[in-house]
Amino acid sequence: STMARVVSTSSLAGLVWVPKDIQIPTTLKELNDWNPPLVFNWSPDFIQPFYKYGRSKLAQVAWSKALTRRLGENSSVYVNAAHPGAVATPLTKNKNHPPNIPDFVQNWRATLVNNVCWSSEEGALTELYLGVATDELKEKQVRGRYFHPQSIEVTNSHAENVELQENVWQLCEGLVAKFL
């Protein structure tokens, strides 16, 4: 196929764990120095990693949209982002938990992961669809979009912000410039 596909793996965290006044940094220093707001008086050491992860996943969707806009509607490159869903992987099954979390909580979490989460194979389906369904992608002009598990398109209102998309693009461009 002369058609190229780019699929960014994002997460629901890009919708959920994002402060209302989300700002995407335009320099590596801003990226590393960011301290998100506290929620429910939770410890910054607890909450900040969630916000940072959410912001990184939002950035993947915004970057995909920025690249799609740059390529134009007649491009043979189809760029999309997808959230694989809650997937039971070695990372989610990790039994090495912080000592301050009681065993019964960890046992409950392990049961939840094993009985509710999808397998790795099921989690890969949306990304596979975006990578191999060339006829459908062309026919429906599936580009610059964001999908949740099982190929359900979702709108991330934060990622629709063109200024935010441009900030992500500029940050990425600056980070790779010295390697080009």
Side-chain angles (χ1 to χ4, degrees):
S1 170
T2 59
M3 178 181 165
R5 277 85 60 209
V6 177
V7 182
S8 298
T9 303
S10 188
S11 169
L12 179 64
L15 282 165
V16 177
W17 287 106
V18 177
K20 290 178 184 170
D21 63 341
I22 183 66
Q23 298 295 316
I24 297 293
T26 54
T27 68
L28 188 57
K29 179 169 177 30
E30 288 175 11
L31 179 68
N32 290 328
D33 291 347
W34 184 61
N35 290 308
L38 296 181
V39 176
F40 305 124
N41 295 320
W42 288 346
S43 159
D45 292 339
F46 175 78
I47 198 68
Q48 286 183 357
F50 288 100
Y51 273 144
K52 289 180 179 183
Y53 179 76
R55 188 170 71 165
S56 74
K57 295 305 177 180
L58 169 60
Q60 290 171 318
V61 179
W63 180 88
S64 297
K65 290 181 176 293
L67 178 56
T68 297
R69 191 173 49 260
R70 281 169 170 74
L71 292 170
E73 62 184 44
N74 295 321
S75 174
S76 63
V77 180
Y78 287 68
V79 183
N80 292 286
H83 165 49
V87 178
T89 65
L91 179 64
T92 57
K93 292 180 177 182
N94 185 357
K95 303 232 187 264
N96 298 323
H97 55 82
N100 60 340
I101 298 179
D103 284 339
F104 79 90
V105 173
Q106 287 302 320
N107 291 338
W108 174 81
R109 185 189 64 78
T111 300
L112 187 68
V113 166
N114 290 328
N115 292 298
V116 175
C117 292
W118 291 343
S119 68
S120 296
E121 293 82 3
E122 291 167 320
L125 290 175
T126 302
E127 284 88 342
L128 284 171
Y129 160 74
L130 292 170
V132 301
T134 55
D135 291 340
E136 189 169 330
L137 295 176
K138 284 180 184 178
E139 180 185 318
K140 295 182 178 179
Q141 284 299 298
V142 178
R143 55 174 87 228
R145 299 186 192 171
Y146 174 50
F147 291 85
H148 272 231
Q150 310 305 314
S151 305
I152 298 169
E153 186 178 356
V154 174
T155 299
N156 181 328
S157 59
H158 297 298
E160 297 300 318
N161 180 324
V162 175
E163 181 181 356
L164 186 134
Q165 294 170 16
E166 289 305 308
N167 284 350
V168 170
W169 188 267
Q170 289 170 14
L171 173 64
C172 293
E173 204 170 59
L175 292 173
V176 301
K178 67 181 178 182
F179 300 103
L180 299 177

